[in-house]
Amino acid sequence: METQRLPLNRMRASDTERDLTIDRLAAAYSEGRLDDDEYERRVGTALVAVRVGELRSLTSDLPVPVVPVPPPRFHTGRVRDPRPEPAHRPRRLPWAEWGEEWRWWLGAGGVLTGLWGATSLLGGELMLYWPLVPLGIWAAVLLASTIWPDDTEPPY
């Protein structure tokens, strides 16, 4: 009996073909050919693709990657984030997060100083400035995290 080859729009896709498509999209993303939204949309479509033709349409407008795509790994059933850190963009500096932490510190300092002032007024005399202890510890932690940043990613 002669084997007939089905058209791509009728042939079912395998997990390996989905993984290879996602790897190719990741390569295009790291080269700057896809923006964040387009990359996420295409990966989402690849993950639910049933036919090989659906996968091919996701990469048909992309050139063959310069760097060879790694061979597929054994499927363990775990969900992984296929998005690599883009090579063309440096890691985001934590200045925005750092500034936000200091804004929280200033806000808490204002509240604690207000509580200290209110209790001093109600007591009729100036009390020891007790907010210095929690604000000092918090500031020391913020300064230490600036000097010695932790570059590890959280586990998924």
Side-chain angles (χ1 to χ4, degrees):
M1 187 169 177
E2 187 175 335
T3 310
Q4 291 182 344
R5 181 116 173 126
L6 291 173
L8 294 178
N9 63 348
R10 292 190 52 217
M11 189 180 307
R12 295 189 68 87
S14 69
D15 287 340
T16 302
E17 290 166 323
R18 285 185 202 90
D19 286 343
L20 287 172
T21 301
I22 290 171
D23 288 342
R24 184 143 174 228
L25 290 170
Y29 176 76
S30 68
E31 292 171 350
R33 297 181 191 279
L34 299 174
D35 62 16
D36 293 338
D37 294 333
E38 181 70 12
Y39 173 76
E40 289 177 15
R41 185 187 65 77
R42 288 188 188 200
V43 167
T45 303
L47 290 171
V48 298
V50 176
R51 309 278 181 221
V52 175
E54 296 172 61
L55 295 174
R56 296 280 167 87
S57 67
L58 295 173
T59 58
S60 63
D61 62 338
L62 300 172
V64 177
V66 176
V67 178
V69 176
R73 288 169 261 150
F74 179 70
H75 184 62
T76 61
R78 289 185 285 151
V79 177
R80 63 181 172 94
D81 184 7
R83 222 175 0 177
E85 187 70 27
H88 67 284
R89 286 190 271 177
R91 277 189 64 140
R92 187 177 139 217
L93 293 175
W95 293 113
E97 294 172 13
W98 186 73
E100 188 172 331
E101 287 290 330
W102 279 105
R103 281 191 292 279
W104 278 101
W105 182 86
L106 281 172
V111 170
L112 293 176
T113 301
L115 288 172
W116 169 80
T119 54
S120 291
L121 283 175
L122 291 175
E125 63 182 356
L126 283 179
M127 298 174 59
L128 179 66
Y129 186 69
W130 56 265
L132 184 63
V133 174
L135 291 175
I137 293 171
W138 193 355
V141 169
L142 288 176
L143 288 173
S145 68
T146 302
I147 295 169
W148 300 287
D150 183 17
D151 291 335
T152 60
E153 295 283 330
Y156 294 104

